[in-house]
Amino acid sequence: LGFDVGSTNVPTPATGVPLTFGPTFTYGATGRGVVSLTAFTFDKYGLMTAANVAHRYKGRTWEIDSGLNVSKSRSWYRDTGNGHFFDVQASLPSVSRVLYDGIKESFGYKIAALNAAGNAIDYGKLSSYTLTGATTGPRDGADTFKAGRINVKRRLDILPFEASFKVGGMVQQQDRDTNRQDSRLTFVGPDGIPNTADDNAGLYLDPKSVNEPTKFNFGIPSLEYPDLYRLWQVFQSHPEYFQRTTAQAVSAETSRINNSFSLTEKITAAYIQAEARLWRNRLRILTGVRYEKTEDNGVGPLFDPNGVFQRGANGKLLTTSSGAPIRKPEAGAVGSLAELALIRKGRAATTDRSYDGYYPSLHLTFNVTENFLLRAAYAETFGRPNLGNILPNTTINENANPTAGAPPGTITVVNGGLLPYTAKNYDLSLEYYFPKGGLISVGGFRKDLVNFFGALNTLATPALLAELGLDPTYVDWTLRSTINVSDPARVTGVEFNYNQPLTFLSNWGKYFNFTANVTQLHLQGPRATDFNGFIPKTGNLGLTFSKKPVVLMLKWNYRGRQRQSSSGAAPNAFQYLDSWAKVDINAEYQITK
């Protein structure tokens, strides 16, 4: 449909339903309407056991802090074992158009479903729907964490000023294992044929959903749902009412393979640290260096759609005279379980990487006067990739008949060898403490980042394939992954903080406290660098009244525009969360002492 936005004379579609502009408008293409309903319920269980042993000693010269801890956690979701399906699906037959009226930013709109004749269908009644399928979806996850630490500090009384020396170390290991599966059945009812009269969803209505008020302000009426417990009982007594097609069996096995992961991460660290106070305690110096080593070992799914084709001694696909690849005899039919066993392999992709480094730091605090402090610091730090970004997963899509000059196929691989990014941090701040309480401070900082994470989308080279642990036969394929961007990036920023009791106003002023802080950041870096989630501006204001037994707080918070993932609309184009501000009001009353 074509129309001019803002026009008051909008043409009427062939269905006879007018499109109007102004406070409300209506749209929806004839014959394209779809309404589906899914009801789901699952039982989530969790179990965690933990033990911790700690030792502390504090003497005049020596201080010792050590400990051991271990925790084991497990979570699992169950459905059929507890007498119900994970979810049940239903569809609304005879829908031709879906209309939305009164759309506005506050979600105040109405939804209507029409048949081909333009008559409304009551999509709130379950009897209007046809039951189409049911799903089971067990999930299992386990995590074990073990750690040990020791820290030893000694005062250096032999020096003419206050000083101490400290050493310590830590070893920790985390083991994570996860499995999940979604297996769907088609509902065919007593006649064994799907989408017929005996498949009416209203026959399996959950009475608790009748006249249940909606909890969403989306213009949706009260909805009725099928009973997942009753349908499981039907399945137990009449399994022939449910069928599993070959495609559904393949989908269930694919789900199981794609959602099976295991990862072990071990971290070993040690440090030395020295602290001293000079110039009659006006200058405090804290410096040291930390060594840390990380070892990751994991397994995950491997997808190779060309596993069904025969290869020659050179590793190339064998083809017919017409150029079509030749299938293996054991591959079975296209879309079969036999084919799936060759193209998808559970926990066949592996990662085995380690990295380490030294991270020094220096912190200086100087009391210019009793109330005026100058702070300066330098530190080298690092940030690990999330565990989800290094769990092995490889997908290979080969073009059996590529055009001249085009890549033979595409490889998408999770980079298990992704290294942490490192940063050199420079901080400088001034702080003034008011004689009657409160402070004002201003600071600036710079962070020079190296090896930050970025997206890779390029032709594969032997060096890249070796780095990602892939076969060299994939040279010149399109390679997609996450890598460490070699070009440096930089974040600079300033911070302002103010905290002031309002004692200067009057006797009542002593019950009030005002706070304010602002942070402004600036980002510089290559386009490939992934800085999703970056927020350049934040600010807060607060006023607190505290006079026992009453505490009242008024807080204003501002959050600047936040960059999200790439929009795909153009190079260097991104989606953003818009800036927003909110106000919080809190009240507290203390009933007794």
Side-chain angles (χ1 to χ4, degrees), residues 13 32 39 63 68 70 146 211 266 299 338 381 408 548 564:
R32 300 295 297 274
E63 294 182 19
L68 298 170
V70 59
K146 297 175 288 187
N211 297 322
K266 181 180 179 180
V299 294
T381 58
K548 289 185 177 182
Q564 300 292 293

Side-chain angles (χ1 to χ4, degrees), residues 358-415:
Y358 292 89
Y359 307 96
S361 64
L362 173 65
H363 303 264
L364 304 174
T365 303
F366 181 64
N367 282 69
V368 181
T369 66
E370 183 179 358
N371 297 335
F372 183 33
L373 273 65
L374 170 65
R375 299 184 189 272
Y378 169 80
E380 295 185 18
T381 58
F382 72 101
R384 293 189 187 87
N386 295 328
L387 292 183
N389 291 337
I390 58 176
L391 283 170
N393 196 347
T394 302
T395 301
I396 302 172
N397 291 306
E398 182 169 2
N399 184 358
N401 298 294
T403 58
T410 300
I411 305 175
T412 303
V413 58
V414 172
N415 186 1

Side-chain angles (χ1 to χ4, degrees), residues 49-70:
T49 58
N52 179 60
V53 178
H55 166 263
R56 290 181 181 177
Y57 168 79
K58 186 173 183 179
R60 186 183 181 281
T61 303
W62 292 91
E63 294 182 19
I64 302 175
D65 171 35
S66 62
L68 298 170
N69 63 81
V70 59

Side-chain angles (χ1 to χ4, degrees), residues 412-591:
T412 303
V413 58
V414 172
N415 186 1
L418 196 64
L419 297 173
Y421 70 84
T422 58
K424 294 183 178 180
N425 306 275
Y426 307 86
D427 294 86
L428 181 66
S429 66
L430 303 173
E431 299 177 7
Y432 180 77
Y433 292 83
F434 301 119
K436 294 185 178 181
L439 72 94
I440 184 171
S441 68
V442 61
F445 59 86
R446 190 180 90 184
K447 301 178 183 295
D448 294 328
L449 308 172
V450 179
N451 281 339
F452 204 79
F453 312 131
L456 174 70
N457 189 352
T458 186
L459 293 180
T461 64
L464 276 175
L465 292 170
E467 180 182 345
L468 296 172
L470 297 172
D471 193 288
T473 58
Y474 295 116
V475 170
D476 292 333
W477 284 47
T478 298
L479 182 62
R480 296 174 180 170
S481 187
T482 302
I483 60 170
N484 297 106
V485 179
S486 58
D487 294 334
R490 175 175 292 175
V491 178
T492 55
V494 293
E495 296 174 311
F496 171 79
N497 182 48
Y498 179 72
N499 187 330
Q500 175 69 67
L502 305 186
T503 53
F504 55 87
L505 294 179
S506 65
N507 286 337
W508 274 95
K510 64 184 179 181
Y511 301 116
F512 288 90
N513 190 77
F514 175 77
T515 60
N517 60 75
V518 178
T519 301
Q520 171 75 56
L521 304 178
H522 178 64
L523 171 65
Q524 297 171 280
R527 292 185 176 184
T529 307
D530 180 6
F531 280 103
N532 294 343
F534 183 77
I535 305 175
K537 297 179 182 179
T538 58
N540 301 276
L541 297 174
L543 183 65
T544 301
F545 171 80
S546 179
K547 184 178 186 299
K548 289 185 177 182
V550 175
V551 177
L552 301 175
M553 289 180 287
L554 178 65
K555 291 183 266 186
W556 179 85
N557 172 262
Y558 172 80
R559 177 186 173 103
R561 190 176 71 161
Q562 182 179 16
R563 181 172 129 176
Q564 300 292 293
S565 59
S566 172
S567 71
N572 206 33
F574 297 89
Q575 299 181 44
Y576 290 85
L577 285 180
D578 203 357
S579 59
W580 52 259
K582 68 178 182 179
V583 176
D584 289 338
I585 301 175
N586 302 272
E588 177 182 312
Y589 185 85
Q590 185 173 336
I591 298 174

Side-chain angles (χ1 to χ4, degrees), residues 333-346:
V334 174
S336 66
L337 286 170
E339 179 189 64
L340 180 66
L342 295 176
I343 64 177
R344 291 188 187 272
K345 301 183 184 298

Side-chain angles (χ1 to χ4, degrees), residues 70-81:
V70 59
S71 66
K72 293 184 178 182
S73 61
R74 179 188 167 212
S75 65
W76 63 101
Y77 291 27
R78 291 296 182 264
D79 41 63
T80 57

